[in-house]
Amino acid sequence: MNKLNRLNFSGGPGALPESVLQQAQEAIIEVPGMGLSVLGISHRSDWFAAVISELEANIRTLLGLPNDYHVLLLQGGATQQFSMLPMTLLRGKAHPADYLHTGYWSGKSLPEARREGPVHLAWSGEAGGFRRLPSDDELSFSAQAPYLHYVSNETVEGLQFHRVLGRDDVPRICDMSSDFLSRPCAAERFSFIYAHAQKNIGPAGVTVILIRDELLKEAPTDLPGFLDYRMQIEAHSNYNTPPVFAIYVVLLVTRWLLNEIGGVVQMGAINRSKAELLYHLLDDSDGFYRGRAEAQDRSLMNVAFNLDSPERESQFLAEAQAAGFSGLAGHRAIGGLRASIYNALTLSAVEELAGFMDDFRRRQAAC
Ligand SMILES: *Cc1c(COP(=O)(O)O)cnc(C)c1O
């Protein structure tokens, strides 16, 4: 694989496994056994129906998903879910839904929900600059809430919940866009999980949604068809022309997870070793590298950190780029530096980054 792809630490779209890129390249010319380009195969073909059903089965296997869940593949990204969810579950409700404001992306979900119905802000990390997540004793959730919404991994700030939140008698809804299939997630404890593909499991253009059947029993029937989960379920994610290529690549990623990695438990262990390597390096740098998040809430996917000045951060980025690393600039909303170490980033790529960071620190200390 070329070095730039292997050392792509971008926050999103993220890197994809080399074997997946090779199969995707091949499929653009001809899908094995089909004689047609994946870009020109009908979404009404038997081949595509088989892609959808294998992808759905792979996700069920990877997460041990119970049978009363639907697996949906929709367009519009995670952002469309910020609206589609409250349209379906919050319109006309008297009791507010519980929302957590833990960073940039959960912040984007709030105004969209407020447009549709009452929202109760159960916790906000804004005053603290989103450097930590709430502990259980800071949280109290309403038994009357139509649902609880939170983001499992705040991609921008590098904060990740390492436990499941909320009450068992209120539907849990989670945006797992940046940590889906990166570790086991106790899917059966959530009524609704959504994750766009482009951070961890594929290219942009498709969002995976897991919905427990029961959640939709009182859903309105007057929504536009495209925005009606029940119509999408009935159409097997083929309501209108779906992004066939993006869905095919997500299928290839799930095959890679099952056959090359061995599942989400194994993926989680690999991801933990990658993150520990970088966090140890930050912690052992005598304050040269400053981790953004408090230790207990650090993300295993996005390692956000700073240097002592913006000038030194620019120098870091320039030297990293010259050494073949890409995507290390922090999100434009907060700046700083961020190494995103999604599933496709190998331990050896992370070791190379750690080597570069160690070397950069020593060279800065010497001058
Ligand atoms: C990137 C990101 C989003 C935005 O997703 P789009 O597909 O661009 O709409 C939402 N939530 C999280 C957690 C993200 O990381």
Side-chain angles (χ1 to χ4, degrees):
M1 164 121 115
N2 80 52
K3 185 173 173 184
L4 281 175
N5 272 328
R6 200 167 52 78
L7 300 178
N8 179 7
F9 291 84
S10 166
L16 289 173
E18 178 178 8
S19 62
V20 168
L21 292 179
Q22 273 161 355
Q23 292 172 78
Q25 179 188 37
E26 190 187 343
I28 285 179
I29 303 300
E30 180 187 334
V31 175
M34 289 297 296
L36 284 174
S37 162
V38 65
L39 303 180
I41 289 185
S42 168
H43 58 294
R44 301 293 175 198
S45 62
D46 292 344
W47 174 81
F48 188 61
V51 166
I52 299 261
S53 62
E54 184 189 341
L55 172 53
E56 177 176 331
N58 287 355
I59 290 173
R60 286 184 188 279
T61 304
L62 283 164
L63 296 178
L65 198 64
N67 287 331
D68 61 334
Y69 284 77
H70 303 283
V71 177
L72 265 183
L73 307 164
L74 296 187
Q75 301 188 62
T79 300
Q80 172 154 294
Q81 297 309 306
F82 294 162
S83 315
M84 201 168 157
L85 265 164
M87 271 182 188
T88 310
L89 299 174
L90 199 54
R91 259 188 203 179
K93 290 286 190 312
H95 291 288
D98 276 326
Y99 270 72
L100 261 56
H101 189 188
T102 49
Y104 182 85
W105 286 115
S106 55
K108 293 280 182 193
S109 72
L110 285 165
E112 302 299 340
R114 287 186 180 121
R115 245 192 266 282
E116 301 296 335
V119 168
H120 172 245
L121 197 56
W123 189 82
S124 172
E126 194 168 17
F130 301 121
R131 287 174 185 273
R132 67 174 189 93
L133 296 171
S135 61
D136 280 334
D137 44 348
E138 291 174 274
L139 293 171
S140 74
F141 297 116
S142 161
Q144 272 81 48
Y147 60 88
L148 160 68
H149 179 276
Y150 69 99
V151 172
S152 54
N153 182 67
E154 286 284 7
T155 322
V156 172
E157 293 82 1
L159 294 164
Q160 187 177 32
F161 282 106
H162 300 292
R163 65 189 194 281
V164 172
L165 299 186
R167 319 166 49 102
D168 288 333
D169 56 353
V170 169
R172 283 188 188 88
I173 295 184
C174 195
D175 176 357
M176 296 193 188
S177 290
S178 52
D179 64 358
F180 190 59
L181 302 183
S182 72
R183 59 176 184 179
C185 73
E188 70 286 351
R189 299 190 61 196
F190 294 84
S191 296
F192 189 108
I193 290 172
Y194 61 106
H196 63 197
Q198 72 266 28
K199 305 273 160 68
N200 225 358
I201 57 161
V206 60
T207 303
V208 176
I209 290 163
L210 314 178
I211 315 180
R212 177 173 264 158
D213 189 58
E214 187 188 61
L215 188 70
L216 299 176
K217 66 177 193 288
E218 287 165 27
T221 52
D222 57 350
L223 294 172
F226 188 84
L227 302 178
D228 185 331
Y229 292 113
R230 281 185 292 220
M231 289 209 185
Q232 296 280 3
I233 289 167
E234 227 169 276
H236 297 282
S237 302
N238 211 338
Y239 181 79
N240 65 330
T241 317
V244 171
F245 176 69
I247 290 172
Y248 182 64
V249 177
V250 177
L251 170 65
L252 297 176
V253 170
T254 60
R255 282 183 187 161
W256 171 81
L257 276 169
L258 283 167
N259 305 327
E260 290 185 49
I261 300 295
V264 286
V265 171
Q266 289 82 347
M267 192 73 254
I270 296 170
N271 285 333
R272 179 164 290 280
S273 353
K274 284 149 52 181
E276 279 174 359
L277 187 71
L278 291 183
Y279 287 123
H280 282 151
L281 183 139
L282 303 187
D283 291 344
D284 294 346
S285 72
D286 291 326
F288 183 79
Y289 293 113
R290 301 152 187 203
R292 230 192 152 271
E294 287 189 11
Q296 72 280 1
D297 303 318
R298 285 167 163 177
S299 167
L300 303 184
M301 296 277 96
N302 310 98
V303 178
F305 58 99
N306 287 95
L307 293 174
D308 64 352
S309 70
E311 293 70 34
R312 211 188 290 272
E313 288 173 350
S314 304
Q315 190 186 349
F316 176 93
L317 286 173
E319 291 192 20
Q321 195 177 354
F325 300 94
S326 66
L328 287 165
H331 189 272
R332 61 194 156 78
I334 62 168
L337 304 165
R338 174 178 58 168
S340 295
I341 45 176
Y342 298 126
N343 286 354
L345 260 291
T346 60
L347 180 58
S348 78
V350 176
E351 283 165 351
E352 260 182 78
L353 176 64
F356 167 82
M357 288 172 66
D358 221 21
D359 187 53
F360 181 80
R361 177 171 73 91
R362 284 173 211 287
R363 279 185 290 113
Q364 293 290 308
C367 63

